[in-house]
Amino acid sequence: MNAAALPGSSDTAPFIAVTGGTGLLGSYLVRDLLVAGRNVALVVRRDRKRSAATRVEAVVRHWEETLETSLPRPVVLEGDLAQPFCGLAEEDRQWLHWNCSALLHNAASLSFRGADRAAEPWLTNVTGTAHAIDLARAADIEHFHHVSTAYVCGLREGTVLEDDLDVGQPFGNDYETSKCAAEKMVREAGFESATVYRPSIIVGDSETGYTSTYHGFFAGLRLGHTLLTRVAKGSTSGPALLALIGVNQADRKNFVPVDWVSAVIAHAVQTPGARGRTYHLTHPDPLSMRTVGRIIQEAVETFSVAASPDDPDRCDERWFADNLRSQLDVYQSYFRNDPVFDRRHTESLASHLPCPPLDDPTLLRMSQFAIECDFGRRPTRATSPSGVAAS
Ligand SMILES: NC(=O)c1ccc[n+]([C@@H]2O[C@H](COP(=O)([O-])OP(=O)(O)OC[C@H]3O[C@@H](n4cnc5c(N)ncnc54)[C@H](OP(=O)(O)O)[C@@H]3O)[C@@H](O)[C@H]2O)c1
């Protein structure tokens, strides 16, 4: 820990503890809370090369460079959600007790499939959430904020209300099942308030295009990009791509920019009247898959470099169909028509924060960013907040 753990040292405003601060959404939450002047403590694990403190420093420095301003340093609590009490040392748990009034539990595994309940996504999403709840309870934290997903609705159709959770719905993958189980635990844990945020599919920054993860929209984009760079120009028509993935062009998908999701959550955690409710952080205007296919086509034809006929690595389309379609199989459960996410709670909370439109220029900017950094394999104009090329 990088701050004195003194009982009663909280003569300053209480801290908010945040998990998952090194991830895509988490790094934006760190930015928005620090910029708002909140005292922030981050529960972060070390990685193979870097301590938690070094990783957090990289996140804050990224924002200092981007915003061209200096920011206060969060308190760093090194821990792993897979461990009881998130693996926090006794000293750090005591510090939480004396200094924190709220925990924003944002960390999760985004692995879609896992049969072994002792492995991902179950380990972080279910066991890890139980550990976060235990930690908060032991530290007498009153307000638990939980980042869930709109897809706890599973395969439901029609309209899904923000107060709905388990209505016996089937799920599309283990990730959705695990996140639904986690949200249930949070709601039933008996905190003074439990506030739940349910984003739909998070895409990049609406202004810069930045992202560090490449799910959903970016999986389709990567498919088109790979096709163009390994096969040949002209093979990437949007409808052809969609047919290959197996989606209906009339289906609608709900995408939201990461900066907006973070802005609404940061506003909610600082608004006492917002506590205790569930918020669909979803776009009021979902995109049709026809639009998604058209954007992917335009993006790869503009930003990707097509395979040349004498490229020894050039493959035929059969190779592509055999290999990439099986890799994309895991996303099949997402390439389906979304229900209508009722968002009345979100509208009443954040009418001053309208969700930015995902128009063609915005989606193309995000696509350009992803293609330029080769979907995280190459650094691009902005370095990743994690301090390395995103993976
Ligand atoms: N991305 C989406 O489309 C989407 C949509 C709806 C909801 N959500 C929800 O939004 C939240 C943030 O997602 P994201 O897209 O920002 O994901 P992300 O970029 O993959 O970040 C996940 C974060 O969780 C941390 N984490 C995972 N397992 C951990 C563990 N065992 N101990 C400590 N930290 C751990 C990661 O730490 P490391 O850096 O150490 O790995 C990382 O900071 C999640 O709750 C997710 O379910 C995401």
Side-chain angles (χ1 to χ4, degrees), residues 20 22-25 45 55 80-81 106-107 148 175 179 200 202:
T22 52
L24 176 61
L25 176 57
R45 57 183 171 181
R55 300 185 70 200
D80 185 334
L81 284 157
N106 158 72
S148 183
Y175 169 75
K179 291 291 283 187
S200 53
I202 298 176

Side-chain angles (χ1 to χ4, degrees), residues 108 110 112 125 146-154 160 164-165 171 173 175-180 183 196-202 278-282 334 341:
L110 277 80
F112 275 11
N125 297 356
H146 177 69
V147 181
S148 183
T149 168
Y151 297 95
V152 292
C153 69
V160 179
D164 291 351
L165 182 55
F171 295 99
N173 54 48
Y175 169 75
E176 294 174 359
T177 316
S178 69
K179 291 291 283 187
C180 184
E183 192 181 315
V196 175
Y197 308 96
R198 290 183 186 159
S200 53
I201 303 169
I202 298 176
T278 297
Y279 298 95
H280 272 158
L281 303 185
T282 53
Y334 259 24
F341 297 110

Side-chain angles (χ1 to χ4, degrees), residues 198-221:
R198 290 183 186 159
S200 53
I201 303 169
I202 298 176
V203 288
D205 186 305
S206 63
E207 290 180 12
T208 65
Y210 174 82
T211 184
S212 62
T213 53
Y214 299 93
H215 315 288
F217 171 78
F218 295 106
L221 180 68

Side-chain angles (χ1 to χ4, degrees), residues 223 238-251 289 325 328-329 331-337:
L223 179 64
L241 256 180
L242 296 179
L244 196 62
I245 303 170
V247 301
N248 180 344
Q249 294 192 50
D251 284 355
M289 290 307 289
R325 187 146 184 206
L328 265 179
D329 191 41
Y331 288 101
Q332 288 297 322
S333 59
Y334 259 24
F335 294 131
R336 65 183 190 241
N337 196 31

Side-chain angles (χ1 to χ4, degrees), residues 259-270:
D259 49 319
W260 177 75
V261 174
S262 175
V264 177
I265 296 177
H267 169 64
V269 299
Q270 298 178 86

